[in-house]
Amino acid sequence: MQIAVASGKGGTGKTLISTTLMKVLNDERVVLIDADVEEPNAGLVFNQSPLTTSVVHRLVPTIDPDYCTLCGDCAAICNFNALVVIPDQVLVFNELCHSCGACVALCPQSAIRETKHPLGVIEDTLVPGCGTLSTGRLNVGEALSPPLIKACKQKAPGAPTRIIDCPPGTTCAMIEAIKGSDYCLLVTEPTPLGRHDLVLSLEALQLLNIPGGLVINRWQGNDQYLSDLSRRTGFPILARIPFSPELARSYMRGAETLEAMPELRCIMTDIIRQIKEAV
Amino acid sequence: MKEILFISGKGGTGKTSLTSSFIHLADQCIACDYDVDASNLPILLKPKITSTCYFSAGQTALIDENVCNACGLCAEICRFDAIDTNLQIIPLACEGCAFCEKICPVKAIKMQPRPSGKWYSGVFNRDQTIFFAELKPGEENSGKLVAQVKTVARKMAVADQLPIIIADGPPGIGCAVISALVGVDLAVLVAEPSRSGFHDLQRIYQLLQQRNIKSTLIINKWDLNPVISRDIESWASWHMIPVAGKVPFSTLVANCIAAARVPATDSTIHKMLFPLWENIMKQLTVI
């Protein structure tokens, strides 16, 4: 089973939920994938150093000047303006390239081949008693995160439970992260900002037809709007995590969240039960 | 004309609370929200929308079934798995590279412009202008939409001779952030004193260094963890990043956000943030 943990707004508690979920599942076969590759934070919760680190590449064109006739076809083919022909050579802008392979296949002189451009790394960490954590980490300065997210998600396809800690927002990166999940937890906070972004992420979920439920973090009693939204859209509210300065403080310093708020264990168990019933 | 961008790497550190407050404190400015996939600044500033523009970037492939001979070459060459076994295009997966259009032996594929979102201009506070945008859920090209918002804001700032653009940045370090950083004079780093906040701060700072952009730091909710807060301060002084100030955790700010109000409209918060704004302006004048 693959469970995605997502939210439109940043800082609502995705990483808190996904790491606590992993702890509560208490099964060494669980795999947590930190797909928030721009700012991966799940590793900070467990305080373990990675066992292995592998570099993820994407393919970019390289022009062989011996064969290139500067005909300009490649620049005309590229829909992303990643190739520019100047009088004596072809310039390649790697950061604009989407690695579609069109220029390579269609160059009349076969003067283009593909070379690997490092995009980021995947760090595999063993978390004793909890399973494995695979963290995607985008190189600073790289613009395109989806290919790295895709690579992260190819990790441990056979694991009985995979949790995906998703990037914030509703763009292509978030879609890539939640794609193929059996269930998606949408974490939100009961503020006007959280509500606004939640509505957008519900739309993204509906695009992919993935069943989902809401987790209200920092709950402070009144959630009329969210209950109405849940009723209207059919996405159930799975849990309400009460606002707790104690939990916030201990999470900030990287201490054990289940000790700061013992009832979190019950809340998580209940979330897991509801997901199993829904899937 | 100068541009200030509030940025944090990690989400939820208080960018929008602070940006909206400093927009309130500034005399004359244009407000901008570059977080195009979860735009929150307008929720607090409550502008009256004066214009809405459709934004289209990139393309999607469309197969003409009357022409297609079902050879399957397009599905074979597509690297984004955007053409399924029934030779139907999956629009969410299509990146618009047009490889299929070019390779189709019977020319059955045409690229179509792809609606990606909308951008808006609005008026708040009687005569101040805000620019913001909404990317359609699941779309790419957030960077291009950010660039679009930036272009119109800069044009207006020059035309109306406004001294400053104050912008709320997107989270992360990817394409939207890289696009938001273009031409920025000063980046205000908003950090929260948590281990993840500190970790993400260092990554966004690395990006600022790559792009040669000056920065100043605000530690938000610093008293929630004075130890990490001190670590962040020593890190900042090591990298010679001026600290514009530290903001304590305040239920007043939380109450304002809950009521969708700009925090600095509260006089206590106004007083608390004013020295920080003066520091930021001082930083800006030396650039």
Side-chain angles (χ1 to χ4, degrees):
Chain A
M1 184 170 57
Q2 182 172 308
I3 306 166
V5 183
S7 84
K9 188 176 177 319
T12 56
K14 285 180 298 297
T15 304
L16 168 76
I17 303 288
S18 40
T19 53
T20 315
L21 210 54
M22 188 187 194
K23 288 177 194 161
V24 171
L25 278 167
N26 196 19
D27 177 347
E28 300 220 321
R29 295 168 303 167
V30 170
V31 175
L32 172 62
I33 294 169
D34 192 347
D36 187 0
V37 299
E38 293 181 37
E39 298 291 14
N41 289 333
L44 296 169
V45 173
F46 296 111
N47 232 344
Q48 303 277 338
S49 29
L51 279 182
T52 58
T53 302
S54 49
V55 180
V56 175
H57 297 92
R58 63 191 180 90
L59 297 172
V60 293
T62 303
I63 319 279
D64 187 335
D66 293 343
Y67 292 97
C68 177
T69 59
L70 300 168
C71 71
D73 278 10
C74 54
I77 287 162
C78 180
N79 238 11
F80 307 109
N81 306 318
L83 294 155
V84 174
V85 183
I86 57 171
D88 59 340
Q89 60 171 317
V90 179
L91 301 175
V92 182
F93 294 95
N94 287 343
E95 63 276 21
L96 295 176
C97 173
H98 283 228
S99 312
C100 70
C103 57
V104 181
L106 299 173
C107 171
Q109 307 297 327
S110 302
I112 308 179
R113 63 195 166 82
E114 290 187 292
T115 44
K116 288 174 165 179
H117 174 78
L119 185 62
V121 294
I122 300 180
E123 302 161 352
D124 290 323
T125 311
L126 207 62
V127 186
C130 293
T132 318
L133 166 70
S134 286
T135 300
R137 189 178 292 277
L138 189 72
N139 286 350
V140 176
E142 285 294 327
L144 287 179
S145 61
L148 180 57
I149 296 173
K150 200 173 181 179
C152 289
K153 288 182 67 184
Q154 280 158 2
K155 286 271 168 183
T161 309
R162 286 159 31 110
I163 306 167
I164 319 275
D165 190 359
C166 299
T170 54
T171 49
C172 49
M174 181 262 196
I175 296 283
E176 188 65 59
I178 64 172
K179 212 193 264 174
S181 298
D182 301 296
Y183 200 87
C184 182
L185 292 177
L186 287 172
V187 188
T188 186
E189 56 175 43
T191 64
L193 313 187
R195 295 197 295 252
H196 170 265
D197 300 350
L198 172 67
V199 173
L200 295 171
S201 39
L202 286 177
E203 275 178 51
L205 218 56
Q206 282 162 336
L207 279 177
L208 290 178
N209 238 332
I210 295 175
L214 316 181
V215 176
I216 307 176
N217 193 14
R218 305 191 199 109
W219 180 67
Q220 282 181 300
N222 192 357
D223 57 17
Q224 192 58 46
Y225 179 92
L226 290 171
S227 339
D228 286 349
L229 181 74
S230 159
R231 215 169 305 122
R232 216 169 47 236
T233 56
F235 287 94
I237 296 176
L238 302 185
R240 295 175 170 86
I241 301 172
F243 174 70
S244 148
E246 181 51 37
L247 177 65
R249 284 205 176 85
S250 72
Y251 185 66
M252 282 178 125
R253 62 169 185 268
E256 184 51 75
T257 45
L258 285 167
E259 270 165 31
M261 191 195 263
E263 61 263 47
L264 213 48
R265 187 178 291 279
C266 285
I267 295 175
M268 290 296 157
T269 316
D270 197 45
I271 292 177
I272 297 164
R273 179 187 59 78
Q274 293 179 75
I275 295 176
K276 281 190 177 145
E277 278 172 14
V279 173
Chain B
M1 185 262 302
K2 297 272 172 72
E3 181 171 349
I4 305 179
L5 176 69
F6 286 77
I7 200 126
S8 66
K10 186 175 179 332
T13 60
K15 280 188 298 299
T16 306
S17 306
L18 289 171
T19 312
S20 63
S21 293
F22 290 128
I23 288 168
H24 181 79
L25 294 179
D27 294 334
Q28 282 181 307
C29 73
I30 285 183
C32 255
D33 193 345
Y34 293 142
D35 190 356
V36 297
D37 56 319
S39 174
N40 284 345
L41 196 56
I43 301 173
L44 300 184
L45 295 178
K46 301 191 190 72
K48 195 174 152 275
I49 308 251
T50 49
S51 76
T52 305
C53 296
Y54 286 87
F55 174 77
S56 169
Q59 299 178 318
T60 314
L62 185 73
I63 302 181
D64 185 343
E65 283 172 17
N66 298 320
V67 183
C68 173
N69 64 359
C71 69
L73 183 60
C74 53
E76 208 176 290
I77 55 97
C78 179
R79 289 195 179 168
F80 308 107
D81 300 323
I83 304 175
D84 65 15
T85 45
N86 300 322
L87 302 185
Q88 296 292 317
I89 305 279
I90 305 162
L92 262 185
C94 177
E95 297 215 5
C97 68
F99 192 2
C100 55
E101 181 195 37
K102 273 149 198 147
I103 210 159
C104 175
V106 292
K107 303 259 172 281
I109 304 179
K110 290 273 169 299
M111 299 305 290
Q112 305 292 319
R114 180 182 186 113
S116 313
K118 293 179 208 166
W119 63 268
Y120 307 87
S121 67
V123 172
F124 63 100
N125 223 354
R126 278 196 299 280
D127 59 351
Q128 278 185 291
T129 308
I130 177 172
F131 293 99
F132 62 103
E134 260 171 18
L135 192 74
K136 269 176 59 176
E139 281 300 312
E140 298 176 44
N141 293 311
S142 55
K144 284 185 187 157
L145 187 50
V146 170
Q148 174 70 42
V149 173
K150 191 184 275 279
T151 310
V152 286
R154 291 189 151 243
K155 241 184 224 161
M156 167 140 190
V158 173
D160 290 4
Q161 296 183 324
L162 289 164
I164 192 166
I165 295 175
I166 302 179
D168 193 3
I173 57 164
C175 69
V177 176
I178 289 173
S179 183
L181 287 175
V182 174
V184 163
D185 298 283
L186 180 68
V188 182
L189 296 159
V190 181
E192 64 169 34
S194 65
R195 294 189 55 198
S196 44
F198 191 12
H199 168 266
D200 297 354
L201 171 68
Q202 296 176 46
R203 277 167 70 80
I204 185 75
Y205 179 66
Q206 230 181 309
L207 184 65
L208 293 177
Q209 277 188 310
Q210 281 181 9
R211 312 274 144 163
N212 244 325
I213 294 170
K214 292 249 169 6
S215 55
T216 180
L217 175 70
I218 292 178
I219 306 178
N220 197 17
K221 310 174 222 168
W222 74 270
D223 49 343
L224 287 183
N225 193 320
V227 178
I228 297 180
S229 186
R230 211 158 35 237
D231 289 348
I232 294 178
E233 278 184 89
S234 17
W235 169 84
S237 77
W238 174 257
H239 289 277
M240 294 189 288
I241 307 165
V243 179
K246 298 195 289 182
V247 182
F249 176 77
S250 151
T251 47
L252 284 175
V253 175
N255 292 342
C256 284
I257 297 299
R261 270 178 56 208
V262 174
T265 52
D266 178 287
S267 61
T268 317
I269 302 170
H270 188 291
K271 226 176 275 165
M272 182 170 80
L273 291 180
F274 194 72
L276 276 72
W277 179 240
E278 285 188 318
N279 283 341
I280 293 171
M281 291 314 282
K282 245 180 257 162
Q283 293 295 325
L284 200 61
T285 45
V286 297
I287 289 170

